[in-house]
Amino acid sequence: MISAIAGSTVKVGILHSLAGPWAIGEIALKDAEMMAIAEINQSGGVLGKQIEPIVADGASEPVIFEQQTRKLIEQDQVVTIFGCWTSTVRKFIVPTLERLNALLWYPVQYEGLECSKSIFYTAVCPNQQIEPAVQWLLQNKGKRFYLVGSDIVFSRTASKIIRARLKQQGGTVLGEDYVPVGGMDFRQIIANIKRTKPDVVFSTVNTDSNLGFYPQYREAGIDAEDIPILAVSVTEEEIQQLGVESAVGHYAAHSYFQSLKNLRNQTFVKNFKATYGADRVTSDSVESAYVQVYLWKQAVEQAQSFEVDHVRLAAYGQAMQTPGGMVRVEQNHHLWKPCRIGKVRPNGQFDLVQVDDELIKPQPWLGMDDVKFDASTLVTDMLAEAAQAILYNCQLEQKSRELIEANDRLQKLTQRAELFKRSLSSQIRNSLELDTILTTAVTEIRNLLQIDRCKFLWYLPNTDPARFELSHEACDQDLLPNLAHYPVRDSEVLREVILRSSILQVDDVATTTRLDATGRSQLANLGFKSLLTVVVQTRSGRLGVIVCEHVKQARPWRDHEVELLRDVADQLAIAIDQAELYSQTRTAALQAQIQAQQLQQALYDLQATQAQLVQTEKMSSLGQLVAGIAHEINNPVSFIYGNIDHASDYTQDLLNLVKLYRQHYPNPVPEIQTEVETIDFDFLVTDLPKILTSMRVGSERIRQIVLSLRSFSRLDEAEMKPVDIHEGIDNTLLILQNRLRTDAKSAGIKIIKRYDDLPLIDCYAGQMNQVFMNLLVNAIDALEMVGECAEVYQRSTTAEYSSPAIEIQTQMHDPDWVSIRIADNGPGIPEIFQQRLFDPFFTTKPIGKGTGLGLAISHRIVIEKHQGRLYYSSNPGRGTEFFIEIPVRQLKDKEDMSLTAELSDRR
């Protein structure tokens, strides 16, 4: 103790689970205790000394908690310990605390029936939490209860108390279930709850099991208003981690809630968030952990000593105002505290539905410690034994479950061994792939026999020297594959023994008589403990060996395992023969298939070449024709377009002159007057400028069409060059304008353009215009097929597509690629045609309307000429979308073009 308080500091222990299933609740307690210590140190410490916390991790294991307790007391020599979580751990370390006369401050609610001189219980006991909660539920929710808890002392004892109180007040328990510590599967329990339909579920589920309980409860469709859960181990901390949506509307019973409205609590919450983060929350156990450090400080200062016995006596009667209200230490080492009940709000906090600040006296012995009669001490001792018996019962049930599970595993292993002889035989016979056969064999043998490694080796007698070669291996996850090193290869003695014996069984390398001293030494040096080998002899004369190895410990091989391996070797030999025969047959078939593929590719290339020649000739002729027509039209149109402005000026001059005549000679001779009326001169003056304007518009329109025809033919742009893609699309649309307009047979086709801001794109302009033309014509043909079927368009999901429409969208796919999307809301492409859509001479159009070359040529132009992609998406009845993706800059170098093609494939 002297070293614990030597100098200017005093050591205290902080003992919580920082890992494992209990860490979800305990880390926050550690944080609260550390914050209280920091505040005390900042205000001057205790008896002039700064507190030095020694943090220890119990890792959610009682044995580790006990070890850490001894270390804190004996090695670190702390003056007191703050910590622990479950009753199992607390009871496990009580003997150590009492033997070493140490003091533990325990901040978690528990089942009562205990009062150790070495522990101060700073949370609530059953009469301060469970009993008031049961009473509130009976008054407000109903009498039909379902009990769910973790398989720990607290939950088991709490359930007995609840049953007793319900029996006294006419309540009923419809079911009682427990899950192992850390268990997450509540499906069967929740199914029982849905079946029995209780008024309320009383939950003592602890640790991170709540992360499974509440979400599964919600997923099962149980509403909190119909069957609410009231929990005594779920706080703001757990709700934050399990997700507030799963907890809204459920209840909890505690002495403290973060939502309490008092200045001391608001300061506590503010400091906690400032210290550990705005997203952190406080809770009942967090507040108890925080308060107990201050209670210890008060007791030390009153005792003017850190000695355990002095501090214990000084602690009795200590009182203080806390964030949860007034508390007072009773001589039974428990605290007077109130009980409050809260309902979870959508923000993860609680609305207090029962607010009672009246302090409840702690009665850990169910009130027997307050009853004065001759046998009261005896009853108290019996209750303590009952709590211990509950603990032993929990441990016994756990061991019983483990024993049942072990027996089940043994039975399943025996059944599996029987099935293995049939199933493995069937598997390796059904597969004609040698690799699959050997992989299946070594994997299934290792899994069934539960060995460290299983290998299959081939014997190579024609090598110099003759040797074994490792083919396949299955090994435990903790072991690395041993493909490069194995004893059969390195030991000549072992090779000879294996070849002489059809089976080599070595139960223990250190003591076996089947090997000489050299063989035993070699195996031992390589780390092997047990070995079992079986030779596999095929009809073709090949020799193989199944090798079972164990390196962790000696493993006696059972007779049925040896017999099983012998049977597997026989079946494996037959399967290997079949696989080799199949391999020979498959090789011959593969050669025939390769020849067929070569012929098919030659046919495809011939068709593609033919299609390219036909299309090239067609487009060449068409381009020359279009260019010639555009040239011939352009001359007269240019004459008209060039003189229309002069004609307009001359006409206007003449009209101005006539106007002057009429001003100065308002009364013309009768002959002129008669002619003016005959030709309706006033109308002529008004209409003649309009006629000239219409002539100008018409000639401009003809001129634009001529320019579009010349641009579309692109006879002057056969080389690749930067091109405005939008101009090519617009020119193509202009040529197709007559098929887009409304007429007597159709309602017209709406064009929707969604153009991105694109740079100039390197491409063959004429060829790309050809692609646009083919895709747009196909879209128009598809829409015309359903021209009179208005119901086709009523299936559209947006008003924009309530009539026949083609959408053209361009965008930058990434900095180096541009994407063009052409979509229609026509009938779509039937699935049976989609696989052949780009095949030369394949068409879905009626005879005489399609050649089957448009999409095939477009595909080659995009893929081969521009190193891009052309693909589509079509849903029958929903329309079709074609996507063109080409690089912004075409790379001329062959290696760079190969790289571009590779990147295109990845897209």
Side-chain angles (χ1 to χ4, degrees), residues 37-57:
I37 290 172
E39 291 176 354
I40 293 171
N41 285 338
Q42 190 174 11
S43 63
V46 182
L47 298 183
K49 295 183 180 295
Q50 294 287 294
I51 304 172
E52 180 185 349
I54 307 298
V55 180
D57 181 11

PDB file of all heavy atoms in Angstrom, residues 37-57:
ATOM      1  N   ILE A  37     -12.055  10.871 -12.570  1.00  0.00           N
ATOM      2  CA  ILE A  37     -10.686  10.981 -12.046  1.00  0.00           C
ATOM      3  C   ILE A  37     -10.018  12.248 -12.561  1.00  0.00           C
ATOM      4  O   ILE A  37      -9.345  12.973 -11.801  1.00  0.00           O
ATOM      5  CB  ILE A  37      -9.881   9.727 -12.435  1.00  0.00           C
ATOM      6  CG1 ILE A  37     -10.392   8.513 -11.663  1.00  0.00           C
ATOM      7  CG2 ILE A  37      -8.395   9.938 -12.187  1.00  0.00           C
ATOM      8  CD1 ILE A  37      -9.790   7.200 -12.123  1.00  0.00           C
ATOM      9  N   ALA A  38     -10.227  12.559 -13.857  1.00  0.00           N
ATOM     10  CA  ALA A  38      -9.626  13.772 -14.425  1.00  0.00           C
ATOM     11  C   ALA A  38     -10.177  15.024 -13.745  1.00  0.00           C
ATOM     12  O   ALA A  38      -9.425  15.978 -13.461  1.00  0.00           O
ATOM     13  CB  ALA A  38      -9.883  13.815 -15.928  1.00  0.00           C
ATOM     14  N   GLU A  39     -11.491  15.040 -13.458  1.00  0.00           N
ATOM     15  CA  GLU A  39     -12.099  16.202 -12.802  1.00  0.00           C
ATOM     16  C   GLU A  39     -11.545  16.353 -11.376  1.00  0.00           C
ATOM     17  O   GLU A  39     -11.241  17.481 -10.935  1.00  0.00           O
ATOM     18  CB  GLU A  39     -13.621  16.039 -12.767  1.00  0.00           C
ATOM     19  CG  GLU A  39     -14.283  16.137 -14.134  1.00  0.00           C
ATOM     20  CD  GLU A  39     -15.780  15.871 -14.075  1.00  0.00           C
ATOM     21  OE1 GLU A  39     -16.287  15.502 -12.993  1.00  0.00           O
ATOM     22  OE2 GLU A  39     -16.447  16.033 -15.118  1.00  0.00           O
ATOM     23  N   ILE A  40     -11.426  15.229 -10.668  1.00  0.00           N
ATOM     24  CA  ILE A  40     -10.907  15.288  -9.297  1.00  0.00           C
ATOM     25  C   ILE A  40      -9.455  15.771  -9.299  1.00  0.00           C
ATOM     26  O   ILE A  40      -9.056  16.606  -8.475  1.00  0.00           O
ATOM     27  CB  ILE A  40     -11.036  13.909  -8.630  1.00  0.00           C
ATOM     28  CG1 ILE A  40     -12.515  13.558  -8.439  1.00  0.00           C
ATOM     29  CG2 ILE A  40     -10.295  13.877  -7.306  1.00  0.00           C
ATOM     30  CD1 ILE A  40     -12.770  12.139  -7.982  1.00  0.00           C
ATOM     31  N   ASN A  41      -8.665  15.252 -10.219  1.00  0.00           N
ATOM     32  CA  ASN A  41      -7.269  15.691 -10.317  1.00  0.00           C
ATOM     33  C   ASN A  41      -7.174  17.176 -10.623  1.00  0.00           C
ATOM     34  O   ASN A  41      -6.320  17.888 -10.099  1.00  0.00           O
ATOM     35  CB  ASN A  41      -6.531  14.889 -11.384  1.00  0.00           C
ATOM     36  CG  ASN A  41      -6.192  13.483 -10.916  1.00  0.00           C
ATOM     37  OD1 ASN A  41      -6.120  13.220  -9.714  1.00  0.00           O
ATOM     38  ND2 ASN A  41      -5.968  12.577 -11.859  1.00  0.00           N
ATOM     39  N   GLN A  42      -8.070  17.640 -11.489  1.00  0.00           N
ATOM     40  CA  GLN A  42      -8.043  19.056 -11.874  1.00  0.00           C
ATOM     41  C   GLN A  42      -8.399  19.958 -10.697  1.00  0.00           C
ATOM     42  O   GLN A  42      -7.922  21.089 -10.597  1.00  0.00           O
ATOM     43  CB  GLN A  42      -9.009  19.296 -13.039  1.00  0.00           C
ATOM     44  CG  GLN A  42      -8.882  20.674 -13.660  1.00  0.00           C
ATOM     45  CD  GLN A  42      -9.743  20.818 -14.905  1.00  0.00           C
ATOM     46  OE1 GLN A  42     -10.583  19.976 -15.189  1.00  0.00           O
ATOM     47  NE2 GLN A  42      -9.537  21.892 -15.647  1.00  0.00           N
ATOM     48  N   SER A  43      -9.218  19.425  -9.784  1.00  0.00           N
ATOM     49  CA  SER A  43      -9.629  20.228  -8.623  1.00  0.00           C
ATOM     50  C   SER A  43      -8.708  20.023  -7.419  1.00  0.00           C
ATOM     51  O   SER A  43      -9.022  20.473  -6.327  1.00  0.00           O
ATOM     52  CB  SER A  43     -11.063  19.868  -8.232  1.00  0.00           C
ATOM     53  OG  SER A  43     -11.150  18.507  -7.832  1.00  0.00           O
ATOM     54  N   GLY A  44      -7.600  19.321  -7.607  1.00  0.00           N
ATOM     55  CA  GLY A  44      -6.633  19.198  -6.522  1.00  0.00           C
ATOM     56  C   GLY A  44      -6.359  17.793  -6.060  1.00  0.00           C
ATOM     57  O   GLY A  44      -5.478  17.560  -5.220  1.00  0.00           O
ATOM     58  N   GLY A  45      -7.115  16.813  -6.556  1.00  0.00           N
ATOM     59  CA  GLY A  45      -6.860  15.427  -6.210  1.00  0.00           C
ATOM     60  C   GLY A  45      -7.528  15.015  -4.915  1.00  0.00           C
ATOM     61  O   GLY A  45      -8.508  15.624  -4.462  1.00  0.00           O
ATOM     62  N   VAL A  46      -6.989  13.972  -4.307  1.00  0.00           N
ATOM     63  CA  VAL A  46      -7.522  13.430  -3.048  1.00  0.00           C
ATOM     64  C   VAL A  46      -6.424  13.466  -1.994  1.00  0.00           C
ATOM     65  O   VAL A  46      -5.326  12.908  -2.211  1.00  0.00           O
ATOM     66  CB  VAL A  46      -8.010  11.974  -3.254  1.00  0.00           C
ATOM     67  CG1 VAL A  46      -8.612  11.436  -1.959  1.00  0.00           C
ATOM     68  CG2 VAL A  46      -9.013  11.883  -4.367  1.00  0.00           C
ATOM     69  N   LEU A  47      -6.725  14.130  -0.897  1.00  0.00           N
ATOM     70  CA  LEU A  47      -5.742  14.276   0.177  1.00  0.00           C
ATOM     71  C   LEU A  47      -4.415  14.789  -0.362  1.00  0.00           C
ATOM     72  O   LEU A  47      -3.330  14.348   0.032  1.00  0.00           O
ATOM     73  CB  LEU A  47      -5.529  12.941   0.916  1.00  0.00           C
ATOM     74  CG  LEU A  47      -6.756  12.345   1.625  1.00  0.00           C
ATOM     75  CD1 LEU A  47      -6.372  11.060   2.372  1.00  0.00           C
ATOM     76  CD2 LEU A  47      -7.397  13.352   2.569  1.00  0.00           C
ATOM     77  N   GLY A  48      -4.509  15.711  -1.316  1.00  0.00           N
ATOM     78  CA  GLY A  48      -3.309  16.330  -1.871  1.00  0.00           C
ATOM     79  C   GLY A  48      -2.571  15.485  -2.887  1.00  0.00           C
ATOM     80  O   GLY A  48      -1.483  15.865  -3.309  1.00  0.00           O
ATOM     81  N   LYS A  49      -3.135  14.357  -3.286  1.00  0.00           N
ATOM     82  CA  LYS A  49      -2.461  13.486  -4.246  1.00  0.00           C
ATOM     83  C   LYS A  49      -3.289  13.350  -5.528  1.00  0.00           C
ATOM     84  O   LYS A  49      -4.516  13.304  -5.486  1.00  0.00           O
ATOM     85  CB  LYS A  49      -2.214  12.096  -3.646  1.00  0.00           C
ATOM     86  CG  LYS A  49      -1.259  12.108  -2.461  1.00  0.00           C
ATOM     87  CD  LYS A  49      -1.025  10.701  -1.973  1.00  0.00           C
ATOM     88  CE  LYS A  49      -0.054  10.710  -0.783  1.00  0.00           C
ATOM     89  NZ  LYS A  49       1.296  11.187  -1.166  1.00  0.00           N
ATOM     90  N   GLN A  50      -2.577  13.313  -6.646  1.00  0.00           N
ATOM     91  CA  GLN A  50      -3.216  13.076  -7.930  1.00  0.00           C
ATOM     92  C   GLN A  50      -3.515  11.579  -8.087  1.00  0.00           C
ATOM     93  O   GLN A  50      -2.728  10.722  -7.694  1.00  0.00           O
ATOM     94  CB  GLN A  50      -2.311  13.530  -9.079  1.00  0.00           C
ATOM     95  CG  GLN A  50      -2.089  15.025  -9.120  1.00  0.00           C
ATOM     96  CD  GLN A  50      -3.332  15.779  -9.594  1.00  0.00           C
ATOM     97  OE1 GLN A  50      -3.749  15.641 -10.739  1.00  0.00           O
ATOM     98  NE2 GLN A  50      -3.917  16.556  -8.696  1.00  0.00           N
ATOM     99  N   ILE A  51      -4.682  11.272  -8.664  1.00  0.00           N
ATOM    100  CA  ILE A  51      -5.071   9.873  -8.864  1.00  0.00           C
ATOM    101  C   ILE A  51      -4.432   9.359 -10.149  1.00  0.00           C
ATOM    102  O   ILE A  51      -4.561   9.964 -11.211  1.00  0.00           O
ATOM    103  CB  ILE A  51      -6.602   9.735  -8.952  1.00  0.00           C
ATOM    104  CG1 ILE A  51      -7.264  10.322  -7.703  1.00  0.00           C
ATOM    105  CG2 ILE A  51      -7.003   8.288  -9.142  1.00  0.00           C
ATOM    106  CD1 ILE A  51      -8.773  10.384  -7.803  1.00  0.00           C
ATOM    107  N   GLU A  52      -3.748   8.215 -10.056  1.00  0.00           N
ATOM    108  CA  GLU A  52      -3.153   7.570 -11.226  1.00  0.00           C
ATOM    109  C   GLU A  52      -3.956   6.311 -11.567  1.00  0.00           C
ATOM    110  O   GLU A  52      -3.855   5.305 -10.858  1.00  0.00           O
ATOM    111  CB  GLU A  52      -1.698   7.197 -10.958  1.00  0.00           C
ATOM    112  CG  GLU A  52      -1.036   6.508 -12.157  1.00  0.00           C
ATOM    113  CD  GLU A  52       0.374   6.029 -11.850  1.00  0.00           C
ATOM    114  OE1 GLU A  52       0.919   6.414 -10.791  1.00  0.00           O
ATOM    115  OE2 GLU A  52       0.925   5.258 -12.669  1.00  0.00           O
ATOM    116  N   PRO A  53      -4.761   6.339 -12.655  1.00  0.00           N
ATOM    117  CA  PRO A  53      -5.567   5.155 -12.986  1.00  0.00           C
ATOM    118  C   PRO A  53      -4.722   4.091 -13.695  1.00  0.00           C
ATOM    119  O   PRO A  53      -3.964   4.391 -14.610  1.00  0.00           O
ATOM    120  CB  PRO A  53      -6.642   5.715 -13.921  1.00  0.00           C
ATOM    121  CG  PRO A  53      -6.006   6.901 -14.569  1.00  0.00           C
ATOM    122  CD  PRO A  53      -5.047   7.479 -13.551  1.00  0.00           C
ATOM    123  N   ILE A  54      -4.858   2.854 -13.265  1.00  0.00           N
ATOM    124  CA  ILE A  54      -4.228   1.708 -13.925  1.00  0.00           C
ATOM    125  C   ILE A  54      -5.349   0.936 -14.621  1.00  0.00           C
ATOM    126  O   ILE A  54      -6.166   0.294 -13.950  1.00  0.00           O
ATOM    127  CB  ILE A  54      -3.488   0.799 -12.935  1.00  0.00           C
ATOM    128  CG1 ILE A  54      -2.504   1.614 -12.075  1.00  0.00           C
ATOM    129  CG2 ILE A  54      -2.768  -0.326 -13.681  1.00  0.00           C
ATOM    130  CD1 ILE A  54      -1.412   2.285 -12.870  1.00  0.00           C
ATOM    131  N   VAL A  55      -5.416   1.004 -15.952  1.00  0.00           N
ATOM    132  CA  VAL A  55      -6.509   0.389 -16.709  1.00  0.00           C
ATOM    133  C   VAL A  55      -6.142  -1.044 -17.061  1.00  0.00           C
ATOM    134  O   VAL A  55      -5.059  -1.311 -17.603  1.00  0.00           O
ATOM    135  CB  VAL A  55      -6.806   1.195 -17.997  1.00  0.00           C
ATOM    136  CG1 VAL A  55      -7.944   0.536 -18.784  1.00  0.00           C
ATOM    137  CG2 VAL A  55      -7.174   2.630 -17.638  1.00  0.00           C
ATOM    138  N   ALA A  56      -7.055  -1.984 -16.769  1.00  0.00           N
ATOM    139  CA  ALA A  56      -6.853  -3.406 -17.069  1.00  0.00           C
ATOM    140  C   ALA A  56      -8.040  -3.926 -17.867  1.00  0.00           C
ATOM    141  O   ALA A  56      -9.186  -3.518 -17.631  1.00  0.00           O
ATOM    142  CB  ALA A  56      -6.682  -4.207 -15.783  1.00  0.00           C
ATOM    143  N   ASP A  57      -7.769  -4.844 -18.797  1.00  0.00           N
ATOM    144  CA  ASP A  57      -8.799  -5.395 -19.682  1.00  0.00           C
ATOM    145  C   ASP A  57      -9.173  -6.810 -19.241  1.00  0.00           C
ATOM    146  O   ASP A  57      -8.333  -7.715 -19.245  1.00  0.00           O
ATOM    147  CB  ASP A  57      -8.287  -5.418 -21.130  1.00  0.00           C
ATOM    148  CG  ASP A  57      -9.323  -5.952 -22.114  1.00  0.00           C
ATOM    149  OD1 ASP A  57     -10.496  -6.107 -21.735  1.00  0.00           O
ATOM    150  OD2 ASP A  57      -8.942  -6.200 -23.279  1.00  0.00           O
TER     151      ASP A  57
END
